[in-house]
Amino acid sequence: MSGAYTHRPVLLEEAIQGLAIRPDGVYVDGTLGRGGHSEAIVRGLTAGGRLLCIDRDSQALEEGRARLAPWAGQITFLHGNFGDLAALLDGAGVERVDGMLFDLGVSSPQLDDPARGFSYQADAPLDMRMDQGETLTAWTVVNQWPRQELRRVLAQYGEERYAAAIAAAIERARAAGPIETTGALVEIIRGALPAAALREKQHPAKRSFQGIRIAVNDELTAISRMLQAAIPRLKTGGRLAVISFHSLEDRIVKSELAAAAKGCDCPPSFPVCVCGKRPLVRLVNRKPILPSQAEQEENPRARSAKLRVAEKLEG
């Protein structure tokens, strides 16, 4: 295997184990990325098995086709947002599948390519689009969204406690002219933070960039839509595995899976169930699966990862 594919996917063995792959089954990798999880899945399939690879980044799909060429006859590549999962499966003529994997992290190529504008470590145009065909960019969010909306994005999506000060600093800066690059934005954020915040271990712009990226790509809404579509499209005994990387993602995954596993949502005061809702899944692991210490040391991006797995019940 060439050096281009030495990148190791997060929680690889744990995710594959969680999927409990059936060799002749049909599987979905809803976040193709560099194709590491997809390769591990397709290697577990016999000639009768099938894999659907979804990504909203056309570059990831191109590279995936090259990496997974030896299994081309078993793989269908789909360009789209996993939030549109039901429509993507319908378009591929697939009704139900044996398992689905979603790795919610920003793919390494997107982070590592300065031109994509995701990184606060390199100067680049403000972009942050996972799908280059979309029109909303980070430039629009930073330069045109009202200050209060910016503050909400930074606080809610970035969990930035200095969101108000940063949003005000952005508004002042853009009054003198558009903020064009990630480097310029980083300096504005630095200037808005108190000295104590600048001494923290993590980069001062990390939370703000996270918030803007989530807003640009509408990531949290897409996760909810994906989860609500995924469970009905699993066969009985099929597995859903989701890897999240920050608390906002994990909160949605945990909540949606817990609701699907609970079934009845009648008030506790009701003596008997009247809603008739039955559990749709069982939680394979009550607590999230975390990366080993060795994986965290080898790949710092894995440190915040959490894997949750659910199995579809009959019905």
Side-chain angles (χ1 to χ4, degrees):
M1 185 176 293
S2 71
Y5 302 132
T6 56
H7 168 78
R8 186 172 182 76
V10 171
L11 289 163
L12 179 61
E13 285 84 4
E14 294 87 347
I16 297 303
Q17 182 179 356
L19 285 175
I21 293 173
R22 302 169 184 174
D24 60 348
V26 180
Y27 289 85
V28 171
D29 183 350
T31 45
L32 173 62
R34 281 190 171 175
H37 288 121
S38 283
E39 182 174 329
I41 293 170
V42 78
R43 283 184 180 276
L45 301 177
T46 59
R50 184 179 176 191
L51 175 64
L52 292 88
C53 295
I54 300 169
D55 209 292
R56 60 197 298 186
D57 187 341
S58 56
Q59 183 179 335
L61 291 170
E62 289 176 21
E63 294 176 2
R65 284 191 180 92
R67 175 173 187 169
L68 302 170
W71 303 277
Q74 294 174 259
I75 300 178
T76 301
F77 294 93
L78 302 172
H79 182 222
N81 186 328
F82 61 57
D84 301 320
L85 178 66
L88 289 165
L89 293 181
D90 288 343
V94 174
E95 185 175 347
R96 294 199 177 195
V97 302
D98 295 280
M100 303 188 199
L101 171 64
F102 296 89
D103 177 350
L104 304 181
V106 180
S107 70
S108 293
Q110 291 171 340
L111 287 173
D112 296 340
D113 180 359
R116 299 295 296 270
F118 285 97
S119 177
Y120 41 77
Q121 304 282 12
D123 196 24
L126 280 168
D127 193 329
M128 300 194 194
R129 289 173 297 170
M130 292 180 179
D131 182 348
Q132 296 284 286
E134 295 290 338
T135 55
L136 180 63
T137 67
W139 188 97
T140 305
V141 172
V142 169
N143 287 288
Q144 297 183 354
W145 283 18
R147 177 168 60 87
Q148 289 304 322
E149 183 64 5
L150 266 178
R151 176 181 178 176
R152 183 191 69 81
V153 163
L154 299 176
Q156 184 178 334
Y157 298 159
E159 299 179 290
E160 173 55 72
R161 62 187 181 277
Y162 299 108
I166 294 170
I170 288 172
E171 185 178 53
R172 287 193 301 271
R174 70 190 187 187
I179 302 164
E180 300 286 358
T181 67
T182 55
L185 180 59
V186 166
E187 290 310 307
I188 292 165
I189 294 168
R190 282 186 192 277
L193 295 177
L198 296 174
R199 289 194 295 268
E200 292 178 4
K201 187 175 181 180
Q202 75 174 10
H203 193 284
K206 180 179 180 180
R207 289 184 290 262
S208 295
F209 271 56
Q210 173 183 296
I212 295 167
R213 188 203 78 222
I214 288 173
V216 168
N217 296 287
D218 197 20
E219 294 175 37
L220 301 184
T221 303
I223 293 170
S224 292
R225 287 166 49 217
M226 173 272 286
L227 291 166
Q228 290 166 17
I231 292 171
R233 304 302 287 258
L234 284 171
K235 297 177 184 177
T236 299
R239 296 281 185 92
L240 171 63
V242 186
I243 301 171
S244 61
F245 285 82
H246 58 74
S247 60
L248 297 174
E249 294 173 340
D250 184 60
R251 201 174 301 148
I252 294 170
V253 177
K254 179 181 179 181
S255 175
E256 294 280 358
L257 293 184
K262 180 172 181 256
C264 172
D265 58 8
C266 293
S269 59
F270 281 27
V272 295
C273 172
V274 296
C275 72
K277 293 181 180 178
R278 299 171 59 187
L280 301 174
V281 301
R282 74 171 183 91
L283 303 180
V284 175
N285 301 88
R286 286 287 169 180
K287 292 186 177 181
I289 300 166
L290 307 178
S292 66
Q293 187 63 37
E295 180 174 3
Q296 293 181 52
E297 291 173 0
E298 180 184 330
N299 179 12
R301 289 179 183 170
R303 288 174 185 161
S304 60
K306 294 181 178 179
L307 168 65
R308 296 186 185 272
V309 183
E311 181 177 290
K312 179 73 179 292
L313 298 175
E314 189 174 356

